[in-house]
Amino acid sequence: MTATDLTTRVPLRPPTATATFAIGIAGYLGVNLSPYMITAAQTGLGIDVLAASWLVTATLLLTAVTGLTIAPLCAGAHRRTVARTGLGIATLGFLTAALLPSLMIPALLVGGVGAGGAVAASGAALAAFRNPDRVAGFNGLANRGVITIVLAVIPLIGLAPIDVFGALALFSILGLVVSAWLPAAPVVDPQAAAAVAEAMPIEIPPTGAVRVSPARSRAVTVAGFGLLVVFALWAVSEDSLWAMAGVMGAEQTGLTPEGLGIALSGATAGGLIGSVLLMIVGSRLGRAVPLAVLLIAGGALKIVEGFTTDPTAFIVVFVAWNTVYAIAFMYFVSTSAALDSDGRWSGPLLAVYLVGSALTPVIGAALVGALGFQGFAVALGIASFVLAVPASAIALLSTRLERATTTQEMPR
């Protein structure tokens, strides 16, 4: 990591924000539309729900694996190329799945691969902006706002392959249209040396390029890898509850499908509120304390959910938990973005999350089968408590690193 990495962030402007958020939505849309994708696959292929679920799971896993694999390229000069290539492949795959049911299986898998490029490129681009906390809030607001509309509109149009997979192709095309505005990775400028010379130990090679001391670089690398591991485990614990919410609510409280719909809608609204709050607060509270508090609160709410027997109380706790989850998610994103403005950690972070999203229905069912609903909820709550310690430590490092450099940043 170079010293200039941390002094070349750009302000959030409509063109760059539009490209970053739109490409991210295109890459993540499959996760949000997975229930609709299962129905569309059943309709188009005439298969049962289990086979359709495995097809969608394979598609999402390919998105995650591709995003993780391609993420290093997005931290360099190839970010826009990766985004455009991925979006082009996703468009081809999803459009083929929409129009040619006989090719749906390979087409969806190809579309999943392409979406991985979009996820990695948009995640890396989030690190290019100043004030990562506020940017994470804007990103969450844009993502949840658009997804809420899409989730409401598509069922009104229909859940045939042309409707569901056509929507995925359409958003990939929109991402391609605005991809020219995607923020590039910072370019090292030797003249920026003075901006951080007093902020941290540096080396000045004969070429004039400025580098952070090896000790500082190693600390950030360890923190980055640690953040990916913590985030992956946390994502599994959160999405396991989300996946099992319908079954848990029905068996514990007699929650009806209509009640579940209210819970899911309220959860989305809670995420929107959380995004707005983070946009307002920005970096005023730092990251370490808020992230620790959020993970502890989220763990407590998960445990309470496991012991709730009233359907109304179940919905209220579910919405509260998901609101906390949404804000914590955005703090994880801002922490990864603050570690390195190249997007070295924010790029793979979003792909790591997809691994958990794809596997949690299976993981959640296995935990419920082994522990029962109450034991399941307690285990998930304890996981949040334990993960709060390393998460807050890494968040503290990211905040100190960002403040040490921004206070020394030269005016532009």
Side-chain angles (χ1 to χ4, degrees), residues 155-371:
L156 301 178
I157 300 173
L159 296 180
I162 186 63
D163 305 310
V164 178
F165 304 136
L168 291 168
L170 175 61
F171 274 86
S172 296
I173 292 171
L174 293 175
L176 272 173
V177 171
V178 299
S179 61
W181 294 332
L182 190 69
V187 177
V188 175
D189 178 7
Q191 294 181 352
V196 291
E198 299 177 5
M200 61 183 67
I202 58 172
E203 299 172 358
I204 306 180
T207 58
V210 180
R211 300 185 183 281
V212 178
S213 68
R216 178 63 64 93
S217 182
R218 282 194 299 272
V220 173
T221 299
V222 171
F225 279 114
L227 182 65
L228 295 182
V229 172
V230 169
F231 188 63
L233 295 174
W234 177 77
V236 169
S237 75
E238 299 295 304
D239 274 11
S240 291
L241 179 57
W242 179 273
M244 292 294 104
V247 178
M248 180 187 294
E251 295 196 17
Q252 277 192 185
T253 71
L255 187 69
T256 63
E258 292 77 15
L260 180 60
I262 293 174
L264 296 178
S265 299
T268 302
L272 289 172
I273 294 172
S275 299
V276 173
L277 290 175
L278 187 55
M279 288 161 51
I280 295 172
V281 172
S283 59
R284 294 188 185 95
L285 301 178
R287 299 187 189 97
V289 173
L291 192 53
V293 170
L294 289 166
L295 263 59
I296 292 171
L301 287 169
K302 283 186 282 190
I303 294 174
V304 171
E305 191 79 321
F307 290 84
T308 301
T309 57
D310 178 75
T312 301
F314 187 92
I315 293 173
V316 171
V317 175
F318 186 83
V319 171
W321 160 71
N322 199 71
T323 302
V324 169
Y325 148 80
I327 302 174
F329 183 100
M330 288 179 278
Y331 268 111
F332 271 112
V333 172
S334 66
T335 296
S336 67
L339 284 175
D340 191 326
S341 62
D342 281 343
R344 182 184 176 191
W345 306 112
S346 60
L349 187 85
L350 298 182
V352 160
Y353 183 83
L354 288 178
V355 176
S357 295
L359 295 177
T360 45
V362 177
I363 295 173
L367 289 174
V368 168
L371 304 174

